[in-house]
Amino acid sequence: MNAEIQTLRRKLPIGYQSFADLRKDGCYYVDKTPLIRQMIEERRYYFLSRPRRFGKSLLIDTLQELFEGNEPLFQGLDIHPHWDWSVEYPVVRLTLDGIVSTPEELEDNLLSQLYKIEQTFTLQLPPVKASSERLRHILYQLHQIAGQQVAVLVDEYDKPVLDVLEDSDKARVNRDRLRDVYSILKSSQKHIRFVFVTGITMMSMASFSSGLNNLTNISLSPRYATICGYTDHDLDTVFTPELEGLDRDKIRTWYNGYHWLGEEKLYNPHDILHLFYEREYTEHWFQSGEPGYLYRMLEKNKVSPMQVENRVVDASSVSKFELGKFSHEALLFQSGYLTITQKEFDEDNILYHLDYPNYEVQRSFNKGFADHLTGCGREIAETGNALIQALGENNFLAFKQKIQTMLDGIPYAWPSSGDLSHYEAWYTSLLYMSFRTTPVDLKAEEMTSRGRSDLVILHQNQVFVLELKMVQGDKNIERKVKEGLDEAITQIRTKGYAEKYRDLDQPIHLIGMVFGEEDRNLLEIRVEKF
């Protein structure tokens, strides 16, 4: 490595949630204080939703150090010459990331945190025991004693609800308990200088409306889109010493793409920091926690893997999260598995196009979903690479055999309905998830004026149009297979699935595939040139 670059390298802030430790240890730091200053100058009450591991806790800690007046930590940062360091504000910080499964545990957690605040500031203990009234008493006393209004910071505000999301009764009770606490922030405004609340979901404007409806939601504000996360500019300036030896375009493909309506796309800091440390392109963010609750929700609501990507939804639907009434698109978006790729206007409505933010999320989400449904996520992912290689080489026999081997190893439950379309959908989903663990250009259920194709793959300057069919019974099976293949190829041709790709001037392969209900596997394929 170049010696000059080596001397410029700093410590990677992996695992740092303390702004003080990060600054004292000389870590890399992307200066977020211009946006922090803008927030504080404009309004007092804010809410921000971002996926896990996106830097929310570090942002909260930075705000705490700022309001407490720890000037040395901000030397050299944008906000330093613009802040009155002679004023120190008392800070009340609540972090709800503990393991809480019952309302009683939630109340104990809150009371424990409030007691520590009372001890820190040597406050008079109130006669009341409820956490909501304890918070009210703390805000009043701090304002009186310090002579300054209080900064209130709440991290992971929704975790006590998300932890029990699959138990709707517990989730509602925890939500209501939190609403009682958050309502104090509204009724105690005269004692409060600033409020900043973070979490994953956007329940603040719906389920917590009585307590948090005075918050300014900046989650989809273009002006604050980069308040968490790294931009391309950040990588090319702040992290320049770490880029040597890494493929810049590959970094973008794997990790860039989060978008909250600002001018720039963003990287998850967790991904980038671990990439720089480990020097490997892998599923860094996903390995830190798989979304089992999302897979269970999708399965329960019979959402196909192909119904996750490339969604067009009303803008209001992705910024709402109300227990029992939220869409899977909203939860996938707010959790970071989908992002906004396009905004458009349809008369008086705003529509968002949602899709995977990058290759890491696309690959890991589908591998995890495949594993949830079949227990064979790794095998399905490995098959995906083999299938793409076989198609690129036009080795259709190997393509067929790889699929058959994969299906032989999947101990899956069959759909309860006797409708063969259910079986076709199951096989299509398996192939889709397998392909989606690769970076291949894949179109699923693409609409034409005459129908909807199953799968279209664009790879190595070739086009592959796949149509799947099912056959029943073991009598006259050869005839049924031939008829199924005839039907698949005819359907591709007559419904124009390949027409739109003519202008690419590339070889177009029509692939009919027939699966057997009794065999539970691929029986035969037929490939024709278009």
Side-chain angles (χ1 to χ4, degrees), residues 98-243:
I99 299 175
V100 172
S101 61
T102 68
E104 293 74 24
E105 290 174 339
L106 172 57
E107 180 69 1
D108 288 344
N109 182 296
L110 288 167
L111 288 172
S112 176
Q113 293 191 62
L114 294 173
Y115 178 73
K116 290 179 182 178
I117 294 171
E118 291 163 343
Q119 294 297 300
T120 298
F121 290 98
T122 320
L123 302 181
Q124 180 182 353
L125 298 181
V128 294
K129 293 183 178 181
S131 56
S132 56
E133 289 306 311
R134 289 280 283 274
L135 177 58
R136 186 196 305 276
H137 195 262
I138 287 172
L139 295 173
Y140 170 79
Q141 281 198 84
L142 285 177
H143 190 191
Q144 297 303 309
I145 294 171
Q148 298 291 342
Q149 291 175 308
V150 184
V152 180
L153 309 173
V154 182
D155 197 9
E156 306 286 1
Y157 88 105
D158 53 351
K159 193 170 184 296
V161 176
L162 288 179
D163 281 350
V164 292
L165 190 60
E166 294 173 272
D167 187 330
S168 57
D169 291 336
K170 282 185 179 179
R172 286 188 175 87
V173 174
N174 281 357
R175 177 201 62 188
D176 293 343
R177 181 65 56 87
L178 288 170
R179 179 161 51 194
D180 292 340
V181 174
Y182 297 145
S183 66
I184 301 302
L185 302 181
K186 185 176 181 181
S187 62
S188 300
Q189 291 188 55
K190 63 182 178 180
H191 305 302
I192 293 176
R193 168 68 179 87
F194 184 79
V195 172
F196 193 77
V197 178
T198 75
I200 292 177
T201 61
M202 298 186 194
M203 281 186 277
S204 61
M205 302 303 161
S207 299
F208 294 124
S209 59
S210 66
L212 296 177
N213 62 356
N214 59 331
L215 293 176
T216 299
N217 187 349
I218 60 172
S219 304
L220 291 175
S221 169
R223 301 173 66 220
Y224 294 102
T226 61
I227 198 164
C228 287
Y230 299 152
T231 65
D232 264 323
H233 178 73
D234 296 330
L235 266 63
D236 293 330
T237 54
V238 177
F239 294 102
T240 302
E242 302 297 329
L243 294 174

Side-chain angles (χ1 to χ4, degrees), residues 348-526:
D348 294 330
N349 298 320
I350 299 175
L351 301 177
Y352 292 151
H353 292 244
L354 304 179
D355 212 336
Y356 297 116
N358 50 48
Y359 177 54
E360 185 220 6
V361 175
Q362 170 195 301
R363 172 183 169 82
S364 54
F365 186 86
N366 280 282
K367 185 164 67 172
F369 201 6
D371 196 60
H372 171 80
L373 294 173
T374 69
C376 302
R378 181 177 59 83
E379 292 82 356
I380 289 174
E382 291 173 352
T383 300
N385 289 316
L387 293 178
I388 293 305
Q389 181 179 346
L391 288 178
E393 297 170 352
N394 288 184
N395 188 343
F396 298 109
L397 176 60
F399 178 75
K400 168 188 168 182
Q401 292 172 340
K402 291 292 183 183
I403 294 175
Q404 290 173 329
T405 300
M406 177 183 75
L407 295 177
D408 275 339
I410 296 178
Y412 53 85
W414 285 89
S416 58
S417 169
D419 183 354
L420 288 185
S421 65
H422 286 231
Y423 296 90
E424 290 176 16
W426 172 254
Y427 284 120
T428 306
S429 294
L430 287 175
L431 284 177
Y432 164 86
M433 290 185 290
S434 185
F435 288 131
R436 267 291 175 241
T437 63
T438 76
V440 72
D441 188 353
L442 173 68
K443 317 292 182 184
E445 297 187 331
E446 191 173 43
M447 287 294 296
T448 72
S449 60
R450 286 167 280 173
R452 188 193 304 266
S453 61
D454 283 341
L455 297 169
V456 177
I457 297 167
L458 283 72
H459 180 53
Q460 292 189 358
N461 298 316
Q462 301 180 81
V463 181
F464 305 88
V465 184
L466 280 61
E467 185 64 29
L468 282 65
K469 296 298 176 185
M470 288 289 304
V471 295
Q472 235 174 347
D474 53 8
K475 292 183 178 180
N476 301 314
I477 191 64
E478 291 183 3
R479 176 177 59 80
K480 291 179 180 179
V481 168
K482 180 181 180 303
E483 290 173 350
L485 293 173
D486 290 342
E487 182 184 356
I489 297 296
T490 300
Q491 183 172 329
I492 295 173
R493 291 184 181 279
T494 59
K495 296 197 174 182
Y497 296 160
E499 290 289 344
K500 65 181 294 183
Y501 300 102
R502 279 186 184 275
D503 292 342
L504 294 178
D505 195 24
Q506 296 175 354
I508 299 176
H509 307 272
L510 314 184
I511 304 178
M513 310 175 71
V514 172
F515 295 80
E517 180 185 4
E518 281 71 25
D519 295 83
R520 301 186 179 187
N521 210 315
L522 174 63
L523 299 181
E524 191 55 82
I525 69 170
R526 180 187 299 170

Side-chain angles (χ1 to χ4, degrees), residues 41-65:
E41 289 175 351
E42 290 182 348
R43 297 193 179 186
R44 290 197 300 161
Y45 284 66
Y46 287 95
F47 168 75
L48 177 70
S49 164
R50 284 294 184 268
R52 61 183 178 83
R53 304 282 186 171
F54 231 92
K56 301 187 297 294
S57 296
L58 180 60
L59 179 60
I60 286 278
D61 200 71
T62 306
L63 285 164
Q64 180 173 354
E65 298 290 357

